[in-house]
Amino acid sequence: MTEAKDLQSELIAFRIGSQEFCVDIMSVREIRGWTPATPLPRSPGYMKGVINLRGTVLPIIDLGARFGLTTSEPTARHVIMVAHVGGRMVGLLVDAVSDILQMSEASVQPTPDVASDQVKTFVKGIFSIDGRMISLIELDYILPQVEAEAA
Amino acid sequence: MDAFEAIKVTFFQECDELLADLEAKLMLLEQGQTDLETINAVFRAVHSVKGGAGAFGLEALVRFAHVFETLMDELRAGRKPCDTVTIKTLLRASDVLADHIQAAQGLIPQVDEGRSAALVVELEMLTHGGEAPPVVEDEDDDFGFMPMAFDMPLDEPAATTPETPAVGWRVVFKPLGRMYANANETGLLLRELGRLGPITVALDDGEVDPLDALSVEDGCLTWTIDLDAAVDEAAVREVFDFVESDCELTITPLGANMGGASDMSTTFEDEPAAILPASDDLDIAALLAKAGGAVVETPSEAIPFAVFEPEPAPVVAPPPVAAAAPTPAPAAAAPASAPVAPAPVTIRVDLDRVDRLINVVGELVIQQAMLSQRVLESGLARSSGIALGLEDLELLTREIQDSVMAIRAQPVKSVFQRMPRLVREVADMVSKQVRLVTVGEDTEVDKTVVERLAEPITHMLRNAIDHGLEKPDERIAAGKSAEGTVRLAALHRSGRIVIEISDDGRGINRERVKKIAIDKGLIAADAPLTDEQIDNLIFAPGFSTAAVVSDISGRGVGMDVVKRSIQALGGRISISSVPGKGSTFTLSLPLTLAVLDGMVVAAAEQTLIAPLPAIVESLTPQAADLHFVGGVDPVIRFRERFLPLIDVALIMGFRERPMNPTDGVAVVVETESGQQAALLFDAIQGQRQVVIKSLETNYQQVEGVAAATILGDGRVALILDVDVIVTDMRRKSIRPDFKLAS
C-alpha cells in the first residue's frame, strides 16, 4: 500500500455482480451482513425496505438495481454498507466488500462515453488498479428525492 | 451562534421563567395575599428582567420595566397601598412587559405602543399618586427617590432633567452581604464611578467585627465616595443599577450642604474612621496573614482613578476571604450568618440531547429484550448465572427508561400559566366578569404533548367565556353571582392526561344547536338525537353557534378544528352539559407522543401497526355482509351502513391479487374527518404500545405510512396512516411498475 499523501484518499471497494465499484471510506459508517428488510409500500424497486440499525430506521438501497444492473434476491452472504449521504444514513446492499484502496485524485479518469446515462449519473470516474477497472461512486444522488431535486 | 447570542438566549429563557413567576405572584396578590414577601417577589422579577435587558441594550424593555419597578418599589416600601386598582394595573403591566420581551426576542413585530405608553402613564400616576414626587424620608431608605426624569422622556433621558445638576455628589455606599454573593465587586463599581469624574474614596471599616466574631458573608464595609463632577444624579445612580437592591446607597449633592469639592478632605476628618487609621485591631489583612490565610488582592488596585487618602490597611472584600482563606476563625463564625434557603437545583439541557438519550434508551430496551430472547432460545437454564444477570439487567433497563422519560416530562403549569392573561383579555373584550380556577398544574406530561396543549386549551377557554358564560346581568337574573367561574383542570387517568375545562354558565342550548344543525344541513330535520348527540354536534365541521361572529371565538373555525387537532395528537374530546348549570369539555391525550397505542396486524406476511385511537371496532366479514359496488369495489355492511372494504396488503403492494375477505379480519376505522371505512387484514396479532420512529429522518415520507416502529423481535414495522389509506390511496390505482423510478 502506498503512503498517504495530500491528494490521496482512502476508498472502500465493493463488488456488484462482476463489476467493482468504490466509495470514499469517510462516508461509510459500518459494514454489516444482510438482514431481512421490511418492505415499503409503493417505493421504487431498488428500495429494499427498512431495517433496524440499533434503533435507527435505516432505508436499504439495492445498489445494483439502482445502477440498472441485474440483481438477485439478497442472501446472508450479501453485505450492507451503512453510509452517510447528505445528512442521512442509508444502507447500501452490495454483493461483497473487496478491498480498501488508496488513490490519488490524479489517477481518476473521466467516465468513458460508452456508459449508460444511468450509470453516468452515479459514477464520478474510473481508475485501474492491478489491471482491474474500478468505478468511483458519487453517493449524493442515491436517494430518490435527492434525485428529484437534481432533475 | 456566538457567545453573546447564546447568553441572550439564556436571558430570554430566564425571562420566561421570571414572567411565569411574576404572573403567579400577581395572582396571589389578586387573591388578597398582599404581604411584603409577595410584593418583593414581584419587584425582584421585574428588576431581574430590567437588569438583563439593560445588559443587552434593550432600551424599550428597560424603560418599561423601570416604570413598573418604580411602582413596585413604592408598594414594597408601603408608601402606596396595594389595592385592587393597583393590582389590576400591575396585571396589565405584566402583560405588556411580556409583549416587550417578545418584541425584543423578535417573536412579535412590535409592542402596541399606545397600550404601552398608556400603561406607563397609569403606572406613574400610581407611583406618584397625584401627589408631589416622594422625598427621601430617612437615611435607611435607599430607594427614597427614584430618578423619574430618567425614564419619563422616552427618547432623551439626560436632556430633560429638570433641576440643575449639582457640582458634585457624595455617595455613601454600603454593600450588603448578598451583593457579594451575587458576585458583584465593589472595585469595579468604584472604577465605573471614577469614569464620571475625579473621585475621592474613603473606606469606613468601623463595623468590621474582631476576627473571632467576623461573619464573612456579611457586608460590613462602607465606602464614601465624593465625585467632583457636575453630572446628573441619574448617571451616578446608573453605576449602581444592578446592585441597587443589594446595598445601602445614599447619594447627596455636594456643595448644597457642604463647602464643595475643594474642602472635602477636611470634611472627611470630621467623620470617625472615614479614613482608615492604621490601628492594629482593624488591620484585617495583617490578622488574616497571621492566621495563616492568604491576603486577598485589594480592590483598590483596580481603581487607578481614585484619590486615596493615606490608607495603610489593605481593603479586604469579605467573600474572597471566605473562598481563599479558610482560616479557623471565619469558619467558626460562619454559622452566625443566615444560610441561604435551599432552592431546587436545576440545569438547562438542550432538548435534542434528551431526545437522543430517549432514543438510545429505547433501543437499549429492545436490545435487552432480544438478548433475553436469544438466551432463552439457547436452552440455558432459567437459574443459570447468565439468565439471572439478564433479569437484573431488565429491571435496570426499565428503571433507566422510566427515569429518562421523566426527564422530558413537564408539568402542564407552563401552559396553564399563560391562560390567566388570555382569560383577562377575553373577559374584557366581551365585558364579562370571569374568575379562572386552575387545578392540577403539577400534572406531568411529555414535553412534546405539553407544547401542543396550548392551542386547544386556548380555543376552549375562549369558547367557554364567549359562549358558555352569561353577561353579569343575565347571571344575576338567573340567581348566580355576577362573576362567572371557568375551571381548568389537569389530571392523570389510566395512562392518559385528561384536561377538563368547565364553566358555570348557561350550558348548551340544545334546541338552538339542533336548529342550527338542521339549518346548515348537518342533520336531517327529523333525526332522533339523544342529548349527548346534540351536544356533540358542536364538533361538527362548519358549526358555529355564536349569533354574532365575534372577534373571540367565532371565526368560522370552531370546535371541529379543536377536535381535529386533538385527534391528531391521538386524543379524544367530549362534552357534557347541564342547561343553566354549565358545560364541561373533557379532552384526553396520550402522555407522550413518542409512543403510540397500536393494534398489531398481519397483512400478507407483513406486520403492520394500526393506531388504536382510529379504530372503532373489528369484525370477521361474513359472506352475507359483503357486496360489490359495480361488481368490483367491495363494501361491507356494518350497523346498517355500507362501508368501503379496503384490502390493505393489496393497496400497499404486498400482494398481487385481492384476498378473500372471509379469510381475514375487517377493522372499522374512523378518520379525523369522521369518515368510516373497513380495513381488511389477514389477522390481528394483538395490541401494544410502540415507540414511534420517523421514516423521514433517513428516508422520506411514504404514502399511507405515518411512521415506523421496532418490534420486540428487532424488525421494523410500519405504522399505518389511516387517513391517507381511507381517503386517498384507495382511489388511486397502483402504479404498475415502480421499478425504475429514474
Side-chain angles (χ1 to χ4, degrees):
Chain A
M1 226 178 262
T2 50
E3 249 178 63
K5 285 185 195 122
D6 280 347
L7 283 172
Q8 285 200 330
S9 50
E10 263 189 309
L11 301 167
I12 199 157
F14 54 90
R15 242 173 359 85
I16 299 171
S18 57
Q19 300 199 37
E20 266 194 291
F21 301 88
C22 64
V23 292
D24 189 338
I25 203 164
M26 296 311 288
S27 58
V28 178
R29 282 278 299 270
E30 65 180 279
I31 293 166
R32 51 187 292 129
W34 164 256
T35 44
T38 303
L40 293 172
R42 303 193 176 189
S43 328
Y46 57 79
M47 283 300 311
K48 279 287 162 197
V50 284
I51 64 161
N52 162 27
L53 178 73
R54 292 183 304 279
T56 302
V57 176
L58 187 78
I60 303 297
I61 290 172
D62 182 343
L63 216 50
R66 187 72 176 120
F67 294 161
L69 309 168
T70 50
T71 179
S72 50
E73 268 308 296
T75 65
R77 301 172 67 97
H78 281 75
V79 168
I80 292 170
M81 296 196 308
V82 181
H84 262 302
V85 181
R88 294 159 191 256
M89 285 224 288
V90 288
L92 305 172
L93 177 68
V94 300
D95 286 0
V97 169
S98 52
D99 207 350
I100 292 178
L101 309 166
Q102 303 230 341
M103 177 214 65
S104 69
E105 300 270 336
S107 59
V108 182
Q109 304 162 22
T111 318
D113 248 0
V114 292
S116 74
D117 283 349
Q118 198 172 2
V119 169
K120 272 198 278 186
T121 313
F122 309 111
V123 177
K124 212 161 40 172
I126 57 170
F127 61 97
S128 77
I129 279 185
D130 307 335
R132 297 180 290 166
M133 187 195 79
I134 301 179
S135 308
L136 180 61
I137 302 298
E138 179 68 80
L139 288 179
D140 291 354
Y141 303 117
I142 292 295
L143 278 175
Q145 79 281 17
V146 178
E147 170 189 73
E149 277 166 23
Chain B
M1 184 159 46
D2 61 26
F4 185 72
E5 282 301 312
I7 298 169
K8 211 164 165 178
V9 167
T10 309
F11 164 64
F12 284 126
Q13 282 171 352
E14 276 170 8
C15 275
D16 285 347
E17 287 164 19
L18 289 167
L19 282 177
D21 195 38
L22 178 65
E23 177 86 36
K25 290 296 187 294
L26 286 174
M27 298 309 281
L28 284 181
L29 287 182
E30 198 181 22
Q31 288 156 24
Q33 194 183 321
T34 55
D35 56 286
L36 193 62
E37 184 49 44
T38 316
I39 295 175
N40 263 329
V42 174
F43 175 83
R44 278 196 301 271
V46 180
H47 183 74
S48 305
V49 170
K50 182 183 122 179
F56 293 105
L58 305 169
E59 292 294 334
L61 177 53
V62 172
R63 279 197 298 270
F64 188 82
H66 184 76
V67 182
F68 195 161
E69 183 193 15
T70 311
L71 175 57
M72 284 320 298
D73 194 39
E74 289 294 304
L75 293 177
R76 71 173 189 166
R79 282 189 292 271
K80 288 286 172 295
C82 194
D83 52 21
T84 327
V85 180
T86 312
I87 292 166
K88 288 258 186 270
T89 310
L90 291 178
L91 280 165
R92 276 181 292 123
S94 81
D95 295 345
V96 174
L97 187 70
D99 285 348
H100 272 289
I101 290 171
Q102 286 203 319
Q105 253 173 305
L107 294 179
I108 54 172
Q110 64 185 59
V111 180
D112 183 346
E113 284 300 339
R115 193 171 167 212
S116 174
L119 259 168
V120 166
V121 172
E122 230 177 298
L123 288 171
E124 287 182 339
M125 286 285 284
L126 285 168
T127 306
H128 299 303
E131 303 155 20
V135 291
V136 196
E137 278 149 24
D138 55 40
E139 66 274 17
D140 286 340
D141 188 0
D142 46 326
F143 289 96
F145 49 105
M146 271 304 201
M148 293 311 299
F150 169 63
D151 50 78
M152 250 313 288
L154 293 182
D155 36 13
E156 34 191 357
T160 44
T161 312
E163 72 255 355
T164 323
V167 292
W169 298 94
R170 162 157 297 185
V171 181
V172 180
F173 171 51
K174 181 177 183 203
L176 301 177
R178 59 177 185 267
M179 193 195 102
Y180 298 120
N182 288 342
N184 287 302
E185 206 191 306
T186 320
L188 295 176
L189 294 166
L190 294 181
R191 183 165 64 189
E192 200 56 39
L193 209 52
R195 292 204 170 120
L196 297 172
I199 57 169
T200 313
V201 182
L203 172 69
D204 174 9
D205 61 355
E207 280 180 53
V208 177
D209 291 320
L211 195 52
D212 56 349
L214 183 69
S215 166
V216 291
E217 277 158 32
D218 290 344
C220 38
L221 300 173
T222 307
W223 276 268
T224 305
I225 309 113
D226 283 349
L227 172 65
D228 185 14
V231 293
D232 284 342
E233 185 188 344
V236 180
R237 234 165 232 287
E238 204 181 343
V239 170
F240 296 95
D241 204 19
F242 293 112
V243 296
E244 218 165 6
S245 56
D246 297 333
C247 67
E248 289 173 18
L249 182 70
T250 39
I251 301 175
T252 44
L254 277 180
N257 53 357
M258 289 178 200
S262 52
D263 47 333
M264 208 176 293
S265 51
T266 54
T267 321
F268 270 144
E269 262 142 29
D270 297 335
E271 295 175 15
I275 296 157
L276 275 177
S279 62
D280 289 336
D281 56 343
L282 286 176
D283 194 346
I284 315 165
L287 279 173
L288 281 175
K290 263 186 237 162
V295 176
V296 181
E297 194 190 357
T298 74
S300 61
E301 285 167 11
I303 320 166
F305 309 88
V307 184
F308 280 99
E309 294 296 311
E311 191 190 63
V315 182
V316 178
V321 175
T327 56
S337 64
V340 182
V345 180
T346 56
I347 56 166
R348 287 178 211 282
V349 182
D350 195 354
L351 190 60
D352 283 349
R353 293 194 193 179
V354 178
D355 288 348
R356 207 156 61 220
L357 186 62
I358 287 175
N359 279 340
V360 173
V361 170
E363 185 51 24
L364 179 69
V365 171
I366 293 165
Q367 277 294 343
Q368 184 271 327
M370 282 163 63
L371 191 59
S372 299
Q373 187 69 28
R374 300 268 154 80
V375 167
L376 214 68
E377 285 165 3
S378 74
L380 273 173
R382 276 190 169 273
S383 57
S384 71
I386 292 179
L388 291 175
L390 269 175
E391 270 174 36
D392 287 345
L393 182 66
E394 189 179 342
L395 288 176
L396 285 172
T397 318
R398 291 249 171 89
E399 204 174 314
I400 293 175
Q401 194 182 27
D402 288 349
S403 313
V404 167
M405 290 308 276
I407 293 178
R408 215 169 54 167
Q410 281 202 326
V412 292
K413 199 184 241 164
S414 59
V415 173
F416 278 22
Q417 267 168 343
R418 288 184 237 166
M419 297 307 153
R421 171 177 183 176
L422 174 95
V423 169
R424 277 199 296 281
E425 287 179 350
V426 175
D428 275 356
M429 247 187 255
V430 297
S431 4
K432 290 177 185 175
Q433 290 174 29
V434 185
R435 192 163 65 96
L436 177 69
V437 179
T438 53
V439 180
E441 292 175 314
D442 293 326
T443 310
E444 285 192 332
V445 65
D446 193 78
K447 176 155 175 76
T448 47
V449 178
V450 169
E451 281 162 0
R452 298 170 78 168
L453 278 177
E455 206 191 308
I457 292 181
T458 307
H459 219 93
M460 286 193 293
L461 275 182
R462 279 183 176 154
N463 203 70
I465 298 168
D466 196 19
H467 300 315
L469 294 180
E470 312 92 332
K471 301 250 182 214
D473 47 340
E474 288 173 50
R475 288 184 64 88
I476 291 166
K480 298 180 191 176
S481 69
E483 190 181 54
T485 303
V486 176
R487 186 171 172 277
L488 174 61
L491 59 148
H492 281 151
R493 190 184 290 158
S494 57
R496 294 171 77 86
I497 183 170
V498 176
I499 307 275
E500 284 178 355
I501 291 147
S502 44
D503 61 70
D504 63 347
R506 57 172 83 94
I508 286 182
N509 183 339
R510 299 207 171 100
E511 282 309 306
R512 202 160 135 248
V513 166
K514 198 169 168 185
K515 186 171 174 301
I516 290 169
I518 294 168
D519 288 351
K520 297 203 171 177
L522 298 173
I523 53 167
D526 55 351
L529 294 175
T530 62
D531 286 352
E532 196 191 338
Q533 280 171 322
I534 295 173
D535 289 350
N536 281 292
L537 278 175
I538 66 165
F539 294 117
F543 186 94
S544 181
T545 52
V548 184
V549 173
S550 68
D551 223 9
I552 317 299
S553 45
R555 272 185 226 143
V557 300
M559 297 309 288
D560 58 318
V561 176
V562 176
K563 187 179 185 183
R564 243 179 285 149
S565 71
I566 296 289
Q567 279 178 332
L569 296 177
R572 290 170 222 122
I573 186 167
S574 63
I575 181 173
S576 66
S577 175
V578 181
K581 290 268 169 65
S583 321
T584 301
F585 287 92
T586 309
L587 57 98
S588 94
L589 289 164
L591 288 178
T592 171
L593 298 181
V595 297
L596 169 107
D597 281 317
M599 185 180 269
V600 185
V601 293
E605 288 156 31
Q606 294 301 322
T607 306
L608 300 168
I609 311 285
L612 214 49
I615 295 176
V616 179
E617 203 170 316
S618 59
L619 58 141
T620 312
Q622 303 297 321
D625 293 332
L626 291 165
H627 301 272
F628 293 87
V629 178
V632 192
D633 297 323
V635 290
I636 186 168
R637 199 176 55 176
F638 172 68
R639 306 227 170 118
E640 304 314 310
R641 292 174 59 200
F642 288 101
L643 302 178
L645 183 65
I646 303 166
D647 186 336
V648 175
L650 183 73
I651 64 158
M652 288 281 205
F654 295 154
R655 80 168 115 238
E656 310 262 301
R657 35 187 71 250
M659 73 180 288
N660 184 354
T662 52
D663 292 343
V665 183
V667 174
V668 178
V669 293
E670 191 181 75
T671 65
E672 281 168 18
S673 53
Q675 202 178 347
Q676 286 193 343
L679 305 182
L680 184 64
F681 299 108
D682 292 32
I684 291 175
Q685 291 176 343
Q687 226 181 54
R688 56 175 290 174
Q689 274 207 333
V690 296
V691 177
I692 297 172
K693 301 270 177 185
S694 165
L695 271 179
E696 283 142 76
T697 318
N698 287 317
Y699 184 50
Q700 62 187 30
Q701 213 175 0
V702 176
E703 200 182 12
V705 178
T709 189
I710 294 164
L711 297 176
D713 63 1
R715 292 198 58 174
V716 178
L718 304 177
I719 301 171
L720 298 174
D721 186 337
V722 170
D723 275 44
V724 172
I725 290 174
V726 171
T727 55
D728 295 343
M729 282 179 86
R730 74 188 161 92
R731 294 186 213 287
K732 298 179 199 160
S733 58
I734 309 160
R735 287 207 250 160
D737 189 6
F738 237 112
K739 278 217 159 125
L740 298 176
S742 57

